[in-house]
Amino acid sequence: MNEAALRDTAKELVAPGKGILAADESTGTIKKRFDTIGVESTPENHRIYRQLLFKTHGAEEFISGVILYDETIRQQTDEGVPFAKYLSDKGIIPGIKVDEGAVDMVNFSGEKITEGLDGLRGRLGEYKELGAKFTKWRAVISMGDAIPTDVCINMNAELLALFAAYSQEADLVPIVEPEVLMDGTHDIQKSEEVTYKTLKSVFKKLSEYKIYFPGMLLKPNWVHQGKDNPDKANDKQIAEATLKVLKEVIPPDVPGIVFLSGGDSPEESTGHLNAMNEMDDVAWQLSFSFGRALQEPVLKAWKGDPANIELAQKVFYKRAKLNSLARSGKYEGEIEEENGK
Ligand code: 13P
């Protein structure tokens, strides 16, 4: 393990004013996203769409890294430049999702575990040759009447720790993502309790597996009421509850926390991140690794029409810029112009 290289990459990924674009939707997930705009989900359409994102002029001012999917890291620009090289040349660090998705857990109804450890060492070597500098593994924790169980939380924590160990062994910075889902009617206190328990278990396992904390990043959910709970917490309440949990659990030598958006709207997500950075008195960088919160308005602007590419890129640039402002608590709401340059 090259500790210095891991530390440098992790630090670069959470450089002030910058965050990560999660463009690693699996084949099933990208189809769901394309269905919302009536675009056929083919590898070529995925390529065209992701090229739109990657080629956005100036995106590198706000985007430090992009998480790619297995299909995407093997694709190229129209000019034949592999996406990973194209991004690196632009100053954006390419990364790769290495888990193979969450599946139903045997004997534990309503709960999931993440697959992908088999053969992971070999795949990491290949991804490294393809240009990846960091990796991501997502675990999913669902909430319900009698769930999550300790068995589910601890098993997912163990898998995350093993993934992180293999990743660091290959000099790839692991992004450890234990996502407590927002689905359900639970209140914010319940989310706080489950997020605490999950992160506690994850960091216990990461310690046991001797993970080098300065060379990893954490990608958590924010503490948040269930989507179907009408009693909505505001940005400040979400930020306070989230930071309370993080301060109790996350060691200070983890360089950064890169939040997922989890289904909140782009505006809500930027608002939560901003509120956290406004009250920032923490050891780690508080940044973003958004999928939907960066891409939803871009997809809507693009709609699969080549004539809309320029407009969609302006929308992406604006969203990235607003999240960049939220990195330092300077987001003051939406701006009208599509391109702040
Ligand atoms: P969302 O921001 O859409 O939740 O996606 C982030 C992600 O990478 C989930 O694994």
Side-chain angles (χ1 to χ4, degrees):
M1 186 200 315
N2 182 341
E3 291 188 354
L6 287 169
R7 199 175 55 230
D8 289 350
T9 302
K11 221 172 142 188
E12 231 183 289
L13 284 168
V14 292
K18 291 189 182 184
I20 297 169
L21 164 67
D24 60 330
E25 296 82 2
S26 62
T27 309
T29 303
I30 193 84
K31 180 177 184 319
K32 271 196 245 164
R33 307 278 185 263
F34 275 23
D35 282 350
T36 65
I37 53 163
V39 173
E40 197 190 347
S41 188
T42 62
E44 177 57 8
N45 282 344
H46 305 159
R47 189 193 70 82
I48 290 168
Y49 169 62
R50 282 160 172 156
Q51 170 172 263
L52 173 167
L53 294 169
F54 305 160
K55 284 194 172 175
T56 295
H57 181 68
E60 65 278 12
E61 295 164 43
F62 316 120
I63 301 294
S64 56
V66 175
I67 316 175
L68 304 169
Y69 182 56
D70 183 79
E71 175 189 278
T72 323
I73 201 169
R74 301 171 196 281
Q75 290 180 322
Q76 306 180 341
T77 64
D78 290 345
E79 297 74 28
V81 182
F83 278 150
K85 177 171 172 18
Y86 180 84
L87 289 166
S88 290
D89 289 350
K90 207 173 168 172
I92 296 178
I93 306 173
I96 179 83
K97 169 191 175 76
V98 301
D99 68 74
E100 292 180 335
V103 297
D104 290 340
M105 192 171 166
V106 63
N107 289 342
F108 289 80
S109 175
E111 299 196 287
K112 292 189 183 290
I113 55 164
T114 302
E115 292 189 327
L117 277 185
D118 283 356
L120 180 59
R121 266 184 163 151
R123 286 195 289 128
L124 290 175
E126 191 194 357
Y127 288 140
K128 215 172 140 173
E129 285 195 358
L130 289 168
K133 294 272 185 300
F134 70 99
T135 52
K136 184 195 94 169
W137 179 287
R138 174 174 178 253
V140 178
I141 305 295
S142 306
M143 290 229 235
D145 275 349
I147 60 171
T149 61
D150 289 353
V151 179
C152 173
I153 289 177
N154 295 336
M155 175 52 82
N156 274 300
E158 189 110 28
L159 295 169
L160 279 165
L162 255 169
F163 142 74
Y166 283 137
S167 198
Q168 289 193 334
E169 178 190 48
D171 298 330
L172 296 164
V173 171
I175 298 190
V176 173
E177 180 181 10
E179 176 175 5
V180 176
L181 292 180
M182 268 188 223
D183 300 328
T185 54
H186 54 270
D187 57 22
I188 191 166
Q189 285 79 20
K190 180 76 185 166
S191 168
E192 184 177 320
E193 196 185 296
V194 174
T195 303
Y196 172 80
K197 203 169 175 181
T198 301
L199 292 178
K200 192 90 190 153
S201 176
V202 168
F203 274 88
K204 180 168 181 284
K205 291 294 172 194
L206 291 172
S207 279
E208 284 173 10
Y209 281 80
K210 304 179 184 175
I211 300 309
Y212 176 61
F213 289 147
M216 66 158 275
L217 297 173
L218 175 71
K219 176 163 175 168
N221 52 286
W222 17 67
V223 172
H224 195 292
Q225 77 285 339
K227 264 186 221 151
D228 298 325
N229 185 333
D231 188 13
K232 281 186 117 189
N234 61 32
D235 287 336
K236 189 161 179 277
Q237 291 164 324
I238 287 170
E240 278 171 359
T242 304
L243 287 182
K244 180 170 167 239
V245 170
L246 296 179
K247 280 183 200 168
E248 280 166 337
V249 185
I250 315 304
D253 49 351
V254 171
I257 315 281
V258 293
F259 290 95
L260 59 94
S261 56
D264 268 346
S265 73
E267 294 79 10
E268 287 168 335
S269 301
T270 310
H272 303 337
L273 181 65
N274 192 66
M276 262 180 274
N277 278 302
E278 267 182 329
M279 54 182 78
D280 175 16
D281 56 346
V282 293
W284 340 274
Q285 295 290 319
L286 297 173
S287 185
F288 58 92
S289 174
F290 293 157
R292 284 162 289 181
L294 277 168
Q295 294 187 54
E296 238 171 46
V298 184
L299 280 166
K300 275 190 200 146
W302 173 54
K303 295 193 204 83
D305 185 344
N308 292 334
I309 286 179
E310 207 175 310
L311 172 67
Q313 288 179 325
K314 284 183 178 170
V315 171
F316 177 53
Y317 181 89
K318 171 184 155 184
R319 214 55 257 155
K321 179 178 178 175
L322 292 175
N323 284 306
S324 167
L325 290 171
R327 286 281 275 105
S328 50
K330 290 193 182 123
Y331 168 65
E332 290 169 352
E334 296 297 300
I335 45 174
E336 279 310 313
E337 84 274 26
E338 293 294 357
N339 189 338
K341 290 193 87 176

